[in-house]
């Protein structure tokens, strides 16, 4: 099942309809139903992001069944562990026999109270640290990961940093990931205002909630909250990050050009050619290693990829297929290594 295989019915080929329905309440309910149908037990956990940072997440496991591995799922900006694609992907992976951990970024998924400082997109260190903690807490192996939109960007950077962090990832899948943040901002400013207004509204609400929780630390006024997306991001960079300029901030989490060329973890990327939020041309300019694969679908919108009127998704099935294949490859490699080690030990014991 490749990205080029995705062909929605004619009425679903509008990218704005795909994007809007993909994040709708109807689809969230569909995801909740799919998750409930697996019979999985879900528990909430606070995980260690390092330096006192705490991140909230949900671990799901079907009782009485030994998991075939552990899946880490990362949501998009202003999404959460309960976003429709997170629930749908979790349901797909649980049906395949895996345990699933849906991680919330800082200030997402009702976690604003856990940390004083504000979320921003360069907080990759705490996500890597949290992934290491999750791997240590839950023994199921191999471990695989996936992310959507900004979560796809985090997943790709997690794959880059995993070896140095001692995190053994068998594979990563990313759907419509942010590749070039500066270009993405321009795309939203020049494109349909619906998306810019949506993110401005949700981010302002998040910042307002953060201020209410930490009024002494976050003493910004309502006028600041009324700034446009670019101006508000610039304010965030100047007042709450160590980056000197907006360009430096965007560059900090960009994965353009050859920045993914050093990947050691197998990676699959799914992108839609009609994504109204993420520019496509940055994907054509990626320099990827042999074990990284880019698939571009003609349709899908931004993280939509809806199949029918039930709002079931192609992307979630694609992620499940790709991650399952990576996990199978890791299990096969591990078995071969154990067999080779056993043969070597037996040969040495017999004096051969």
């Amino acid at each position: 099942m490749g990205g080029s295989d995705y062909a929605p019915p004619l009425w679903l080929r509008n990218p704005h309809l795909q994007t809007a329905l993909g994040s709708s309440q109807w689809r969230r309910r569909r995801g909740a139903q799919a998750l409930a149908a697996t019979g999985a037990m879900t528990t909430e956990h606070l995980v260690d992001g390092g330096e006192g940072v705490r991140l909230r997440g949900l671990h799901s496991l079907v009782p009485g069944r030994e998991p075939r591995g552990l899946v880490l799922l990362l949501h998009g900006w202003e999404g959460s562990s309960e976003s429709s694609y997170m629930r749908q992907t979790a349901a797909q992976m649980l049906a395949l026999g895996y345990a699933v951990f849906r991680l919330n970024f800082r200030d997402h998924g009702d976690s604003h109270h856990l940390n004083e400082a504000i979320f921003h997109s360069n907080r990759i260190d705490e996500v890597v640290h949290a992934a290491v903690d999750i791997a240590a807490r839950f023994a199921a192996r191999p471990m695989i990961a996936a992310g959507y939109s900004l979560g796809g960007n985090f997943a790709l950077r997690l794959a880059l940093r995993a070896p140095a962090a001692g995190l053994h990832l068998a594979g990563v899948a990313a759907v419509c990931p942010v590749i070039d943040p500066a270009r993405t901002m321009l795309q939203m400013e020049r494109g349909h205002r619906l998306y810019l207004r949506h993110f401005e509204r949700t981010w302002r609400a998040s910042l307002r909630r953060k201020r209410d929780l930490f009024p002494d630390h976050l003493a910004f006024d309502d006028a600041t909250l009324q700034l446009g997306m670019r101006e508000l991001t610039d304010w965030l960079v100047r007042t709450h990050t160590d980056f000197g300029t907006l360009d430096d901030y965007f560059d900090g989490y960009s994965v353009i050009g050859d920045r993914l060329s050093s990947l050691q973890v197998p990676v699959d990327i799914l992108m839609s050619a009609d994504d109204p939020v993420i520019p496509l041309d940055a994907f054509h300019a990626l320099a990827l290693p042999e074990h990284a694969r880019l698939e571009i679908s003609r349709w899908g919108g931004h993280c939509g990829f809806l199949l029918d009127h039930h709002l079931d998704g192609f992307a979630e099935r694609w992620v499940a297929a790709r991650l399952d294949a990576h996990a199978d490859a890791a299990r096969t490699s591990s078995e071969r290594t154990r067999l080779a080690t056993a043969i070597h030990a037996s040969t040495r014991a017999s004096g051969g």
Side-chain angles (χ1 to χ4, degrees), residues 132-203:
V132 172
D133 184 29
I134 292 164
R137 290 195 195 194
F138 305 102
R141 293 293 182 274
M143 186 176 185
I144 41 187
Y148 291 78
S149 194
L150 181 61
N153 172 280
F154 269 86
L156 293 172
R157 286 185 288 155
L158 176 65
L160 280 171
R161 293 170 179 242
L167 181 67
H168 299 290
L169 281 179
V172 163
V175 177
C176 298
V178 175
I179 297 295
D180 186 340
R183 290 287 311 286
T184 298
M185 174 72 81
L186 282 173
Q187 180 94 340
M188 286 197 295
E189 290 173 333
R190 296 171 178 175
H192 200 297
R193 300 294 293 180
L194 170 71
Y195 306 108
L196 198 63
R197 285 198 297 267
H198 166 74
F199 284 116
E200 286 175 344
R201 183 178 65 255
T202 54
W203 190 23

Side-chain angles (χ1 to χ4, degrees), residues 226-237:
Q226 292 308 309
L227 293 172
M229 177 66 75
R230 180 175 293 275
E231 293 75 23
L232 191 57
T233 306
D234 183 66
W235 163 84
L236 171 76
V237 171

Side-chain angles (χ1 to χ4, degrees), residues 48-227:
D48 181 15
E51 300 182 353
V53 173
R54 296 176 298 163
L55 300 180
R56 176 180 174 268
L58 302 174
H59 178 259
S60 298
L61 179 70
V62 176
R65 189 172 68 188
E66 186 68 24
R68 299 174 58 225
L70 175 64
V71 183
L72 173 65
L73 297 181
L74 304 175
H75 60 78
W77 188 40
E78 294 303 327
S80 77
S81 57
E82 301 289 15
S83 293
S84 58
Y85 49 82
M86 295 283 277
R87 289 173 170 176
Q88 292 271 10
T89 307
Q92 290 285 332
M93 298 309 302
L94 286 162
L96 289 173
Y98 292 86
V100 178
F101 195 96
R102 290 174 281 152
L103 180 68
N104 286 289
F105 297 137
R106 177 195 297 239
D107 297 347
H108 291 74
D110 195 25
S111 68
H112 293 70
H113 62 289
L114 294 177
N115 305 285
E116 187 175 68
I118 296 174
F119 170 82
H120 62 73
S121 299
N122 278 282
R123 295 196 183 277
I124 181 63
D125 289 343
E126 62 194 49
V127 174
V128 174
H129 203 286
V132 172
D133 184 29
I134 292 164
R137 290 195 195 194
F138 305 102
R141 293 293 182 274
M143 186 176 185
I144 41 187
Y148 291 78
S149 194
L150 181 61
N153 172 280
F154 269 86
L156 293 172
R157 286 185 288 155
L158 176 65
L160 280 171
R161 293 170 179 242
L167 181 67
H168 299 290
L169 281 179
V172 163
V175 177
C176 298
V178 175
I179 297 295
D180 186 340
R183 290 287 311 286
T184 298
M185 174 72 81
L186 282 173
Q187 180 94 340
M188 286 197 295
E189 290 173 333
R190 296 171 178 175
H192 200 297
R193 300 294 293 180
L194 170 71
Y195 306 108
L196 198 63
R197 285 198 297 267
H198 166 74
F199 284 116
E200 286 175 344
R201 183 178 65 255
T202 54
W203 190 23
R204 286 167 182 160
S206 176
L207 290 173
R208 190 174 294 110
R209 182 176 182 185
K210 195 77 174 182
R211 183 183 62 181
D212 291 344
L213 288 165
F214 302 101
D216 295 334
H217 179 67
L218 304 173
F220 50 85
D221 57 21
D222 287 342
T224 299
L225 290 177
Q226 292 308 309
L227 293 172

